[in-house]
Amino acid sequence: MGNPALVDPATIRETATEAWIWGSALLANYRTMYPQAVDDADPRFVGGFGVFRHYPNPFTPADVDLVAPSADTPYSCAWLDLRAEPWVLEVPATERYYVLAVHDLDTSYVGFIGSRTTGQAAGRYLIAGPHFTGDARAGFDGVLRADTELVGVLGRTYLAGPQDLPALRELQAQYSLRPLSAHLGTEPPPAAPEPHWPVWRDDEVLETLEFFVLLDFLLGFFPVLPAEADLRSRLAELGVGAGDFEPAALPLDVRAAMLRGIADGRARLAAEAAKGLESTAWFGTRAQLGSDYLARAVGAQQGRYGLPVEEIWSTDWLADDQGNRPLDAAEGRYTLDFPAGQLPPARFLWSVTMYRLPDRLLAVNPAGRYSIGDRTPGLVYGEDGSLSLVLQHERPAEPDRAANWLPAPAGPFTVVLRVYGPEPPVLDGRWQLPQLNLRD
């Protein structure tokens, strides 16, 4: 360690705290990438890099790859290694809502291809890494330039219902990925060396100095950005970033200070998450997120790969109209009441999805219904156009209430409202979110 300031345990501790908060999104991302793109023995393996895996059905409680998954828009996921050359992503023309979001290794978004941003026409887009210097202007409808050499692509495509599955599968099959050389019909460049991928074992890595071993590996795919140069420099003084970090080689007092920093970072993250703030600032491009790494870390923990507010506006109810929290369907029954003229203003669609707590995953229920929205068939509206959704564990006896039933687990839960393509009244606050009412 060449920096005299880092001899001070308090400075080492604070550096470790900042680095843990900054780096936790990278590890959260690797936690998903490793089984999907690296570990071919894992059932979640998508086929390696450059391969789409399509989920042709809505998510169910058996799917645990993502936190708070959408039940409206089946996913298409892929991972790209951009070290050797860029990749070309092609999409077909479609009238249905879709978005293919490309994110960096730290979960910051590189760009979006889809209904809101690029329209409904067919298109061809280049996804290039930080070291690409070629001419990418000709022949593409857009170029997405990543800041990291490993990126993820997570697509969402609207599914109207079981009868829509064949058309959805046909559309998903037309999401195409090819290396640039294959697209151009030229000789491919030399392949990048195969990394020695660290095995992701369990989340306990986040509590130990093994966190910095994994971070050290991932930083090899992440060139230093100007805004993060100071933190990266201080990490380098601790030996993190060169690809050979070994905690056992550090003095005992340095290791102790780093462990205290990890504990501090975890406490700051827990305190921020416990505030129950709206998630609108958790997700976005690097420009949108800025230096608010704590918000990004909360987003990676609470709802990894959520989208920025202009794409999908979302919020959840953590308390009822009496202030009781958490919501608990073992103790009460609830209604979510949208007055006449106050349904969520959406350019594309809206939905309310039920999640069990504390893991924010879908909960098993006998109806097999995990969300309700404006596209749900058979909903019963009031004569004035109002809509009352019923949130409880048992099926209501009355037919009208059963039609509007969103089954809840027999315990703590939360519900998330998603507005796909929110209209201005949602974004500027003119539209008022209704309360969740405790009925008995």
Side-chain angles (χ1 to χ4, degrees):
M1 295 184 295
N3 187 340
L6 288 179
V7 175
D8 174 25
T11 303
I12 295 172
R13 178 175 180 173
E14 182 56 30
T15 295
T17 300
E18 291 180 41
W20 191 92
I21 292 170
W22 177 81
S24 60
L26 280 84
L27 266 74
N29 199 31
Y30 189 70
R31 180 180 183 267
T32 300
M33 187 186 78
Y34 182 79
Q36 290 188 349
V38 178
D39 185 3
D40 59 4
D42 194 289
R44 294 167 290 179
F45 186 63
V46 303
F49 289 91
V51 178
F52 264 123
R53 178 182 179 183
H54 303 295
Y55 296 83
N57 297 301
F59 263 56
T60 72
D63 299 304
V64 297
D65 285 1
L66 300 178
V67 179
S70 167
D72 315 302
T73 51
Y75 289 85
S76 300
C77 66
W79 298 90
L80 304 178
D81 184 342
L82 304 175
R83 289 177 297 161
E85 61 178 320
W87 283 75
V88 177
L89 172 59
E90 295 189 56
V91 297
T94 179
E95 295 182 356
R96 73 177 67 210
Y97 171 79
Y98 83 101
V99 58
L100 296 171
V102 181
H103 61 82
D104 272 326
L105 194 55
D106 63 352
T107 71
S108 301
Y109 282 109
V110 178
F112 309 91
I113 299 163
S115 304
R116 180 185 65 87
T117 52
T118 57
Q120 309 293 152
R124 181 181 296 120
Y125 303 88
L126 188 75
I127 303 173
H131 300 302
F132 177 67
T133 57
D135 184 359
R137 292 171 296 178
F140 295 101
D141 297 291
V143 178
L144 284 67
R145 289 192 172 270
D147 287 322
T148 63
E149 293 175 320
L150 301 178
V151 302
V153 182
L154 185 61
R156 296 162 169 85
T157 310
Y158 176 68
L159 175 67
Q163 76 287 349
D164 191 32
L165 280 171
L168 174 69
R169 294 190 181 107
E170 182 179 351
L171 178 66
Q172 288 176 322
Q174 296 177 72
Y175 295 153
S176 167
L177 283 167
R178 288 192 295 173
L180 178 60
S181 58
H183 171 74
L184 297 175
T186 59
E187 187 72 20
E194 181 68 15
H196 181 67
W197 302 101
V199 175
W200 181 274
R201 292 184 176 86
D202 52 52
D203 289 350
E204 290 182 4
V205 67
L206 301 176
E207 305 174 18
T208 70
L209 291 180
E210 186 70 18
F211 174 94
F212 288 103
V213 175
L214 276 174
L215 182 62
D216 174 68
F217 169 77
L218 294 173
L219 293 182
F221 304 94
F222 197 163
V224 178
L225 301 176
E228 298 162 0
D230 176 66
L231 177 59
R232 294 287 294 268
S233 176
R234 284 183 282 137
L235 274 173
E237 291 291 342
L238 292 171
V240 179
D244 56 0
F245 178 66
E246 177 47 66
L250 296 174
L252 285 175
D253 59 337
V254 174
R255 278 183 272 167
M258 292 180 72
L259 284 170
R260 286 193 289 271
I262 290 174
D264 291 345
R266 289 170 55 81
R268 289 187 193 178
L269 177 61
E272 187 70 14
K275 292 178 181 178
L277 301 176
E278 291 188 6
S279 62
T280 54
W282 294 350
F283 313 107
T285 63
R286 196 170 303 283
Q288 289 173 315
L289 293 171
S291 60
D292 194 348
Y293 305 123
L294 185 57
R296 186 181 68 187
V298 174
Q301 179 196 69
Q302 298 283 355
R304 199 172 314 131
Y305 315 125
L307 292 172
V309 61
E310 62 270 18
E311 184 72 44
I312 301 177
W313 184 92
S314 66
T315 190
D316 58 356
W317 287 265
L318 298 174
D320 60 32
D321 61 327
Q322 306 299 315
N324 301 311
R325 56 187 303 166
L327 304 170
D328 192 335
E331 302 294 334
R333 303 177 183 183
Y334 306 83
T335 60
L336 183 56
D337 301 304
F338 294 96
Q342 290 298 310
L343 293 173
R347 178 181 172 190
F348 300 111
L349 65 141
W350 65 265
S351 71
V352 175
T353 305
M354 173 72 64
Y355 299 102
R356 70 193 189 204
L357 292 177
D359 53 17
R360 295 173 67 88
L361 295 174
L362 301 176
V364 174
N365 69 77
R369 173 184 275 185
Y370 308 106
S371 70
I372 284 182
D374 61 343
R375 307 296 179 91
T376 302
L379 290 183
V380 177
Y381 292 80
E383 292 184 1
D384 60 355
S386 61
L387 178 65
S388 180
L389 304 181
V390 179
L391 284 62
Q392 60 188 52
H393 180 60
E394 66 279 3
R395 180 187 295 273
E398 306 89 339
D400 286 0
R401 288 173 58 83
N404 294 2
W405 177 43
L406 182 57
F413 71 91
T414 186
V415 282
V416 173
L417 169 67
R418 291 182 175 90
V419 182
Y420 297 80
E423 297 286 9
V426 177
L427 298 176
D428 63 23
R430 283 178 289 156
W431 179 74
Q432 294 299 305
L433 187 71
Q435 289 185 318
L436 187 64
N437 298 305
L438 177 65
R439 291 306 184 190
D440 52 39

